[in-house]
Amino acid sequence: MTKKAAVAAIALLMTTSSLSYAAETSSTGGVGQLSATDMKSLTDMRVGIIKAALQLTPDQEKLWPAVEDAIRARAKNRQARLERIAELRDGAMDPLQQGSPVEIMQRRADRLIQRGTDLKKLADAWEPLYKTLSEDQKKRMSFASYVVMRGMRDVIAHSIDPENDDD
């Protein structure tokens, strides 16, 4: 692992721990209370860490914009879902007034389809770039992705995310 990747990983962990604390100490709790600016900063950090860890060649740089766009689109859609959850939570909607169990399942299925579509777009964007990566770059990508995902998981660990409840 290169020094740049190590520094990037440490920077991510330091930054996400403060964002996690901010989410935890929010008056209503949960990630839904992070501002759009905070979420954009978090996405910017994720993108920066992955890109720094990869140390792309000039030819690979040409393939990066599609990956970055897919990462940002996925983050934007996630933010919209979290805002919707916060609205429902703030509105203190009675689950029994949200519709029939069938309607609830249909809405859940629609959200899962959207998440799957976002992930598919991300995978499709990564594919051409990934094919050009050296073995060392692939290892750094795996490590950086793990660190970024763990950091994101830590940030949202203190909120209850009904989107992830498949029952």
Side-chain angles (χ1 to χ4, degrees):
M1 178 173 65
T2 66
K3 289 181 183 180
K4 286 183 182 179
V7 169
I10 291 168
L12 172 75
L13 292 175
M14 289 173 45
T15 305
T16 57
S17 64
S18 64
L19 288 172
S20 178
Y21 177 75
E24 186 176 344
T25 58
S26 167
S27 62
T28 57
V31 138
Q33 299 305 312
L34 286 178
S35 72
T37 303
D38 291 337
M39 293 300 285
K40 183 183 180 312
S41 294
L42 190 55
T43 300
D44 291 344
M45 286 183 283
R46 291 174 60 207
V47 167
I49 288 167
I50 297 293
K51 189 173 182 184
L54 289 177
Q55 300 173 1
L56 299 173
T57 66
D59 287 338
Q60 292 170 333
E61 282 280 347
K62 296 172 187 172
L63 300 170
W64 177 253
V67 174
E68 184 172 340
D69 290 346
I71 291 170
R72 291 185 186 285
R74 188 169 181 235
K76 181 181 175 185
N77 288 340
R78 175 156 176 78
Q79 176 65 18
R81 287 190 307 271
L82 291 172
E83 287 172 359
R84 177 68 179 137
I85 290 168
E87 289 172 9
L88 292 174
R89 202 176 287 152
D90 291 345
M93 293 182 74
D94 181 1
L96 296 176
Q97 294 178 357
Q98 291 182 19
S100 73
V102 172
E103 290 169 335
I104 292 169
M105 286 185 276
Q106 288 171 336
R107 285 194 307 267
R108 172 72 178 134
D110 290 341
R111 287 191 303 265
L112 287 172
I113 289 168
Q114 178 63 52
R115 290 175 72 186
T117 300
D118 290 345
L119 186 57
K120 177 74 170 121
K121 287 178 183 175
L122 181 61
D124 290 346
W126 266 110
E127 187 175 23
L129 177 57
Y130 190 79
K131 288 178 180 178
T132 69
L133 298 179
S134 68
E135 287 304 313
D136 190 44
Q137 287 174 311
K138 288 178 181 180
K139 287 178 187 176
R140 289 193 309 263
M141 180 187 167
S142 293
F143 175 77
S145 296
Y146 171 77
V147 170
V148 167
M149 292 285 75
R150 181 170 178 136
M152 288 298 294
R153 187 177 64 227
D154 290 346
V155 169
I156 63 173
H158 299 288
S159 69
I160 299 172
D161 188 355
E163 285 189 28
N164 290 329
D165 184 10
D166 288 332
D167 292 333

